[in-house]
Amino acid sequence: MATWNVNSVRARADRIAAWLQRSDIDAVALQETKCRDDQFPAQVFRDLGYEVAHHGLSQWNGVAIASRVGLDDVTIGFPGQPGWGEPPEPEARAVAATCGGLRMWSLYIPNGREIDDPHYTYKLQWLDRLRAAGESWLSADPAARIALCGDFNIAPQDDDVWDMAEFEGKTHVTKPERDAFQAMVESGFTDVVRPHAPGPGVYTYWDYKGLSFPKRKGMRIDFVLASPALAPQVSAAYVDREERKGKGASDHAPVIVELASP
């Protein structure tokens, strides 16, 4: 399985299709699709044998799951998911489906913008509600195979950014954000990619500005967090850095997790 912030699914539909064929992925969580449901290029996925669940409300945000191993029990959002705006309304940031017996979530955590911005408080609330929801799922079924996949917009460790000095006073690396990520881990969800792809220098995102990618000025902010029943199945994990190269690439690279049979 994989997770990938595609930064506009319509703009990169051909690249995504080529990557799916090349990578032989069974199920992928996509974020920042940037389209409404009626604009989503579902036929591109269907032509390759994938079922798709998409949740998009506007040209912002948007999440999807594409699976060729079944796609059932689609859920939009999670219990307690906070809203944004006036009045606050839930954004298109969370969708789940059961794929081959695995409960897969595609999550696009709010960016936070600036530390003194209301969006930062919203981000922390969103993470806290997600943690609470995750705890409730594990409490209800400790044997549940759950994968929380997506762009968390957090670099949990210093190794996850190219230069901590560049992030002084900025979001993504603050203690409250890192504490929120750690709370997810302590609630039972394991970062299953890090043991197979340890830092420093392993990133999933590189800004388009300032030749960040060739200069290796990146961040690791995309993760797969697995429930206790799922984590032992992980046999390999890596960042497909090659997909960040070339014309028309997303500013994120796919993160791939391989699973052994249960």
Side-chain angles (χ1 to χ4, degrees):
M1 65 177 174
T3 183
W4 188 9
N5 179 321
V6 294
N7 193 8
S8 179
V9 68
R10 290 180 292 171
R12 284 174 244 290
D14 290 343
R15 281 192 69 134
I16 295 167
W19 175 79
L20 284 170
Q21 292 175 291
R22 184 174 69 253
S23 302
D24 198 30
I25 296 295
D26 289 313
V28 58
L30 305 175
Q31 301 87 42
E32 209 170 355
T33 58
K34 292 185 175 179
C35 65
R36 302 187 308 268
D37 289 346
D38 63 305
Q39 298 172 315
F40 188 86
Q43 195 60 47
V44 171
F45 295 87
R46 293 187 187 124
D47 289 346
L48 297 175
Y50 291 84
E51 298 177 82
V52 179
H54 177 257
H55 177 42
L57 300 173
S58 66
Q59 74 271 33
W60 309 111
N61 309 315
V63 284
I65 295 173
S67 169
R68 64 181 187 186
V69 292
L71 192 146
D72 303 300
D73 302 323
V74 175
T75 300
I76 303 299
F78 55 85
Q81 180 179 328
W84 177 252
E86 194 58 51
E89 295 287 345
E91 297 181 295
R93 293 184 177 274
V95 65
T98 300
C99 309
L102 168 66
R103 190 64 174 167
M104 191 172 187
W105 281 89
S106 181
L107 303 166
Y108 182 39
I109 281 73
N111 178 280
R113 300 176 183 169
E114 304 291 339
I115 294 174
D116 58 356
D117 193 293
H119 208 261
Y120 179 76
T121 301
Y122 168 55
K123 178 180 188 176
L124 296 177
Q125 291 173 340
W126 210 95
L127 289 161
D128 183 63
R129 301 284 179 82
L130 176 62
R131 175 202 53 76
E135 286 182 345
S136 70
W137 300 329
L138 295 182
S139 176
D141 183 5
R145 299 167 66 235
I146 304 171
L148 306 181
C149 310
D151 178 357
F152 280 72
N153 271 313
I154 300 172
Q157 299 181 12
D158 289 358
D159 280 353
D160 295 330
V161 296
W162 66 276
D163 184 355
M164 276 297 295
E166 292 290 326
F167 290 86
E168 185 175 353
K170 298 180 181 179
T171 60
H172 291 55
V173 300
T174 66
K175 187 177 187 302
E177 290 168 291
R178 287 180 166 182
D179 286 349
F181 186 93
Q182 183 60 28
M184 289 295 304
V185 173
E186 292 175 356
S187 71
F189 290 91
T190 302
D191 173 4
V192 293
V193 178
R194 189 178 301 278
H196 298 274
V202 176
Y203 308 128
T204 64
Y205 164 83
W206 301 259
D207 199 304
Y208 287 129
K209 302 173 184 176
L211 297 174
S212 295
F213 182 68
K215 292 181 179 179
R216 298 183 178 273
K217 295 181 177 181
M219 305 175 70
R220 190 211 299 254
I221 56 176
D222 303 86
F223 296 91
V224 175
L225 303 184
S227 66
L230 178 64
Q233 283 184 247
V234 175
S235 58
Y238 60 97
V239 179
D240 187 357
R241 193 176 182 276
E242 292 298 307
E243 191 53 40
R244 178 59 176 81
K245 298 179 179 179
K247 184 178 179 180
S250 170
D251 45 3
H252 294 250
V255 178
I256 298 173
V257 171
E258 297 180 5
L259 300 175
S261 297

